[in-house]
Amino acid sequence: MPKTVLTLLLLVISNTFMTLAWYGNLKLQEMKIISQNTSIVLIVLISWGIALLEYSFLIPANRIGSEINGGPFSLVQLKVIQEVISCLVFGVIVSVLFKGETLQWNHFVAVVFLVLAVYFVFLK
C-alpha cells in the first residue's frame, strides 16, 4: 500500500478513536448507559483508554507519512491534513450518532476553508 494512502487511512482510524474518546461519553449518557452523576474520573480513565487506541494509529501514521522517514509529507502538511480529517470524522460521527446536532451552512464553509488550508500548505 502506498505510504500516502496508508498514512491517510491510519489518520482516519486515529481520529475516529479520538472523537469517540472526547465525545463518546456524551452519547453513552444520551443512551442512559451512564448518568450525569457518573464519576468524572471514571469517564476520564475510559477516555484515556480509547485515546491510547488513537495514539496507536496516530504515531505510526506520522512516522510513515513524515518526510523524515521517507514519507510524502512535511510535518506541517501532516498536521493540516490531520486537522481536516479530524473535522470530517467529527462531522460524520455527529451526523450519525448525535441526531439532535445538525450541521449548518457555516460548518460546511469552515470545512471548505480547511480544505483550502491543505491546498495552501502544499503550495511550493
Side-chain angles (χ1 to χ4, degrees), residues 3-104:
K3 287 185 175 187
T4 300
V5 173
L6 183 56
T7 299
L8 296 176
L9 178 64
L10 290 170
L11 287 173
V12 168
I13 295 168
S14 166
N15 279 282
T16 300
F17 282 118
M18 178 193 71
T19 302
L20 293 174
W22 288 2
Y23 303 102
N25 69 86
L26 300 174
K27 183 63 181 177
L28 293 176
Q29 186 176 328
E30 183 181 275
M31 295 170 63
K32 309 274 191 256
I33 293 173
I34 62 174
S35 75
Q36 190 173 5
N37 297 326
T38 301
S39 167
I40 193 67
V41 173
L42 177 61
I43 291 170
V44 167
L45 290 174
I46 291 168
S47 294
W48 276 352
I50 297 168
L52 177 61
L53 293 171
E54 173 210 348
Y55 278 85
S56 298
F57 290 96
L58 179 64
I59 302 305
N62 286 333
R63 291 186 62 83
I64 292 166
S66 173
E67 288 175 336
I68 294 169
N69 290 319
F73 304 116
S74 72
L75 293 179
V76 173
Q77 290 169 335
L78 273 171
K79 182 58 182 170
V80 173
I81 291 168
Q82 187 275 329
E83 292 298 333
V84 171
I85 290 172
S86 177
C87 288
L88 293 174
V89 166
F90 176 79
V92 169
I93 288 176
V94 163
S95 296
V96 171
L97 294 181
F98 293 91
K99 300 298 183 185
E101 296 285 329
T102 56
L103 297 175
Q104 307 294 324

